[in-house]
Amino acid sequence: MPSALEGSEGGDEGDTLHYEEAEDNNVSPTDLSELLKEGTKESHDRAENTQFVKDFLKGRIKKELFKLATVALHFTYSALEEEMDRNKDNPAFAPLYFPLELHRREALAKDLKYFYGEDWKEKIQCSEATQHYVDRIHHVGQHEPELLVAHAYTRYMGDLSGGQVLKKVAQRALKLPSTDEGIQFYVFENIFNAQQFKQLYRARMNALDLDKNTKERIVEEANQAFRLNMQVFDELDKIGRSLTEEAQDGGFPVHDGKGDIRRCPYYADKLAGTAGPACPYHVALALAKQPLVQLVLAACVAVAAGAAAWYLM
């Protein structure tokens, strides 16, 4: 989910997602776009320095964790775009309704189908931190629609900026196809110039008829969006630390011969009635009990001991 970070376009792995400078010299300090940029700088910096984002930027992102991040994005954008559709005629939000250019639900569905298969909907679930984010978006859309601007700004402006850096990092780190499978989320087919579109979006934000108090509430809501996003980052980081290398890489862990053998994937196959490969641990154990194998092992140990004694003389 790091795409919520707004930053400079382009760059290599290890780059930071620097906060964008204003592209329009005609903006006023009281314009909503300027208030949001200045008012969320601290939140942006904190989000950029979460462990999950730092690891991502260095290319230290495993496919299993990237898949879970994509799942979180799916639930977040489904909620956001549902509320945007609900408020598309509300004057407090209508000028920022760009479904053709910005909506990400279909792109995320393609990514999830790539990672999880045709039945991806049955294989994913909303995490606790993501559910908090989703709940807040629905509350805003249904009770305080003027604050929906904050969530749209935080997500989409980041997707068009720092998200493009992350796209390149993910493609290289995960060895994804050059045809953008798995990262369709970052591909905006109907935006031909991201910089110009962002200028248009900010101009539309600045033209909203909002009083000072509402603008301040939108800035605070944007900071809330960053906090919710960081909670998802922290959740993903904890999951990443709990995964073994084998699980992260999509492989099976090898049973160590201790505990419940039903936890061994090789035995799980047999218990399910399928013909899977034999468990490496138990195959080795069975071979070690054969007299001929024991004789060969004993000879190897004797040779190794003799060599070690000669070396130490």
Side-chain angles (χ1 to χ4, degrees):
M1 297 189 65
S3 58
L5 306 178
E6 186 169 4
S8 58
E9 297 197 39
D12 297 320
E13 292 162 333
D15 284 352
T16 56
L17 302 182
H18 299 295
Y19 209 88
E20 278 192 325
E21 298 296 328
E23 292 117 342
D24 188 350
N25 293 325
N26 297 319
V27 295
S28 163
T30 60
D31 283 342
L32 182 57
S33 65
E34 283 298 290
L35 292 172
L36 279 166
K37 190 181 77 167
E38 294 300 321
T40 59
K41 270 188 176 180
E42 186 176 340
S43 292
H44 178 277
D45 290 341
R46 287 202 302 270
E48 180 183 324
N49 284 287
T50 57
Q51 193 61 47
F52 177 78
V53 174
K54 288 193 291 188
D55 286 345
F56 197 134
L57 285 167
K58 293 175 182 177
R60 298 173 184 167
I61 180 72
K62 296 292 184 178
K63 184 168 288 188
E64 190 61 33
L65 206 57
F66 187 79
K67 287 165 61 177
L68 292 176
T70 304
V71 170
L73 288 170
H74 162 72
F75 285 109
T76 302
Y77 280 83
S78 292
L80 178 58
E81 290 164 10
E82 179 182 336
E83 297 305 330
M84 289 168 63
D85 290 342
R86 185 197 306 275
N87 290 281
K88 64 183 179 181
D89 297 321
N90 188 318
F93 183 76
L96 300 179
Y97 187 65
F98 291 95
L100 185 64
E101 293 85 358
L102 292 177
H103 281 198
R104 301 286 84 203
R105 277 180 294 191
E106 290 185 11
L108 284 162
K110 292 178 183 177
D111 290 340
L112 291 171
K113 180 179 176 182
Y114 173 79
F115 287 122
Y116 290 97
E118 292 286 347
D119 57 344
W120 61 269
K121 290 182 181 179
E122 300 169 13
K123 296 179 179 178
I124 66 170
Q125 60 183 0
C126 190
S127 70
E128 182 178 354
T130 304
Q131 189 62 55
H132 290 159
Y133 200 168
V134 165
D135 290 344
R136 180 60 188 174
I137 291 171
H138 282 310
H139 172 83
V140 164
Q142 295 170 30
H143 302 288
E144 302 175 274
E146 66 278 7
L147 301 186
L148 202 57
V149 174
H151 290 276
Y153 164 85
T154 303
R155 297 294 339 168
Y156 295 115
M157 292 299 98
D159 299 335
L160 290 169
S161 301
Q164 299 308 300
V165 177
L166 297 169
K167 171 190 171 184
K168 296 175 184 177
V169 174
Q171 197 166 38
R172 287 197 292 265
L174 302 178
K175 298 179 174 60
L176 296 173
S178 60
T179 46
D180 291 341
E181 282 96 339
I183 49 172
Q184 282 292 307
F185 167 72
Y186 298 108
V187 178
F188 291 81
E189 294 181 348
N190 295 306
I191 295 179
F192 305 105
N193 186 307
Q195 290 298 106
Q196 289 181 6
F197 183 85
K198 286 184 288 184
Q199 287 180 355
L200 168 65
Y201 197 89
R202 293 189 181 98
R204 291 281 188 94
M205 285 200 320
N206 295 337
L208 292 171
D209 186 16
L210 305 170
D211 58 30
K212 180 181 178 182
N213 179 62
T214 302
K215 289 180 180 180
E216 290 175 352
R217 289 170 58 227
I218 289 173
V219 172
E220 176 51 36
E221 187 65 27
N223 282 304
Q224 171 74 341
F226 269 107
R227 287 191 290 272
L228 290 165
N229 203 52
M230 282 186 278
Q231 289 172 13
V232 177
F233 291 163
D234 290 342
E235 184 180 63
L236 288 168
D237 187 47
K238 290 176 183 176
I239 293 172
R241 291 199 302 269
S242 70
L243 290 173
T244 63
E245 282 298 314
E246 290 84 355
Q248 285 179 319
D249 289 328
F252 285 119
V254 176
H255 182 56
D256 60 3
K258 300 176 182 178
D260 189 351
I261 65 169
R262 288 174 296 180
R263 293 183 179 275
C264 175
Y266 301 95
Y267 279 90
D269 282 341
K270 294 183 181 299
L271 289 171
T274 60
C279 179
Y281 174 83
H282 288 89
V283 169
L285 198 63
L287 286 172
K289 293 179 179 180
Q290 299 296 320
L292 181 58
V293 173
Q294 290 177 342
L295 181 62
V296 172
L297 287 174
C300 290
V301 170
V303 171
W310 176 86
Y311 177 79
L312 293 171
M313 287 177 63

